[in-house]
Amino acid sequence: MKLLASPTSPYARKLRVLAQELGLALPMEDTAPMADPAALLAANPLGKVPALVLEDGSAIIDSPVIAAFLLASVPGQRLMPESGHGHWQARTTEALADGVLDAAIILRFNMAQGITSGPWVDRQYRAIERALAVMNTRTGGSGFGDICITVACDYLSFRFPDLDWREHNAELAALADRLLATPAFVATRPPA
Ligand SMILES: N[C@@H](CCC(=O)N[C@@H](CS)C(=O)NCC(=O)O)C(=O)O
């Protein structure tokens, strides 16, 4: 299997860290989504990375679905409970962290068009702030949830260096300090 992804995609980083922690080989094919390469559109008509292409040529798309697939590939994995309350809470933490990324990416597309203020922009910043505050209370819930949170926080550091998410979120800062030093996070650091 191979992951169509770009080295700066935070959704892909979540999967690349997860695969390393699960002991799975997940070769990445460097794919620039905005260029609409044929291989990506064949795997994902939405034209988004990451997309996972399996040995038989079929594809799995959307990072939460791909994450669920990777986790299910390793019976007995310890990164997320396979069922019950802990399972759904871990997936909710993933949705919160992915939502921070979604809002950040909306802001970036707006910035690229010169839009840096207005109600829609403010709404994204407020969503990010609220989600960070809730994630700050959810660290340590599961290994997978902690990966998702750390990926989202580090993406903010990467793309929004002026947004000081550490200031009011001490638990997030402590988590990120610990996880960002691990080999899987170091190996998937986005290129400058
Ligand atoms: N919900 C998707 C979001 C993926 C996404 O937005 N990827 C960005 C790159 S980080 C992309 O491919 N953007 C191109 C586009 O929106 O056309 C996931 O979790 O995989």
Side-chain angles (χ1 to χ4, degrees):
M1 67 186 175
K2 67 181 173 192
L3 190 69
L4 307 185
S6 78
T8 55
S9 166
Y11 306 96
R13 189 182 194 193
K14 170 180 73 176
L15 302 175
R16 293 162 66 211
V17 170
L18 174 64
Q20 289 192 44
E21 295 298 343
L22 289 170
L24 294 173
L26 186 62
M28 183 179 94
E29 191 166 294
D30 195 342
T31 304
M34 301 308 274
D36 281 343
L40 176 60
L41 297 185
N44 183 359
L46 300 174
K48 291 178 191 279
V49 295
L52 183 69
V53 180
L54 302 181
E55 297 306 324
D56 67 358
S58 64
I60 299 177
I61 61 164
D62 210 41
S63 66
V65 184
I66 301 171
F69 174 81
L70 296 177
L71 285 157
S73 308
V74 181
Q77 55 77 24
R78 314 286 288 230
L79 289 173
M80 179 171 88
E82 282 169 12
S83 61
H85 185 69
H87 174 88
W88 298 111
Q89 287 306 304
R91 294 194 67 163
T92 298
T93 299
E94 178 184 24
L96 269 174
D98 284 359
V100 167
L101 298 175
D102 295 342
I105 283 171
I106 289 172
L107 288 170
R108 274 180 58 75
F109 278 121
N110 276 305
M111 280 171 183
Q113 295 171 63
I115 304 166
T116 55
S117 63
W120 181 237
V121 167
D122 292 348
R123 186 167 177 77
Q124 308 312 314
Y125 280 113
R126 287 200 306 273
I128 290 172
E129 258 178 47
R130 287 193 305 263
L132 286 171
V134 172
M135 291 193 306
N136 194 50
T137 67
R138 297 178 77 108
T139 62
S142 69
F144 177 57
D146 282 351
I147 290 171
C148 298
I149 290 172
T150 303
V151 164
C153 290
D154 203 42
Y155 185 73
L156 293 178
S157 298
F158 175 50
R159 294 297 197 197
F160 296 84
D162 295 338
L163 194 160
D164 188 3
W165 56 267
R166 289 173 179 267
E167 190 183 5
H168 300 294
N169 299 296
E171 299 301 326
L172 295 184
L175 174 69
D177 286 345
R178 189 165 54 79
L179 287 201
L180 290 173
T182 60
F185 270 94
V186 171
T188 56
R189 209 178 267 156

